[in-house]
Amino acid sequence: ERIQTMIDLADLKEGDRVIDLGSGDGSILIAAAKRGAIATGIEMNPFLIPYSRWRARRAGVQNHITFIKGEIKNYPLHDMDAVFLYLLPPMLGKISAALSSELKPGARVISNAFPIPGWTPIKQKDGVFLYRI
């Protein structure tokens, strides 16, 4: 249900470019790709990358998702229409400046469970916070 809330708040449109910083098992991106998004997942855990790719293939959206092993702070965000986050507050605080400086106007930031320190959400539902740049 939480993933569905995140996808709904993102208000995705066909062709939107989305990224999940800390993509885990790829669940959010698989749901986004099913809505027509072009998705990228950044994940540090090398074991989750092949698992996420397998799950995307199984869901039939493998051509719409790219999973990359890497640090979340090393990936450019300027082309993204939406950013999904499920990070602890200290990490959210560390990346908030990059989000506000790199994302284009109108981009959506959707944070699961934790608000971004110093930011005011435009909407909140069931522990999911929506921000707009």
Side-chain angles (χ1 to χ4, degrees), residues 22-80:
S23 58
D25 68 2
S27 294
I28 294 168
L29 295 179
I30 289 168
K34 287 181 178 180
R35 292 253 183 119
I38 301 162
T40 302
I42 308 298
E43 177 56 53
M44 288 179 50
N45 184 331
F47 300 106
L48 287 174
I49 299 297
Y51 179 62
S52 298
R53 289 177 180 149
W54 174 80
R55 291 189 72 231
R57 273 192 310 276
R58 202 171 115 189
V61 294
Q62 70 275 8
N63 294 330
H64 300 281
I65 304 177
T66 302
F67 291 102
I68 299 169
K69 183 195 173 301
E71 296 275 335
I72 62 175
K73 60 186 177 190
N74 295 334
Y75 196 84
L77 303 172
H78 61 276
D79 286 339
M80 298 300 157

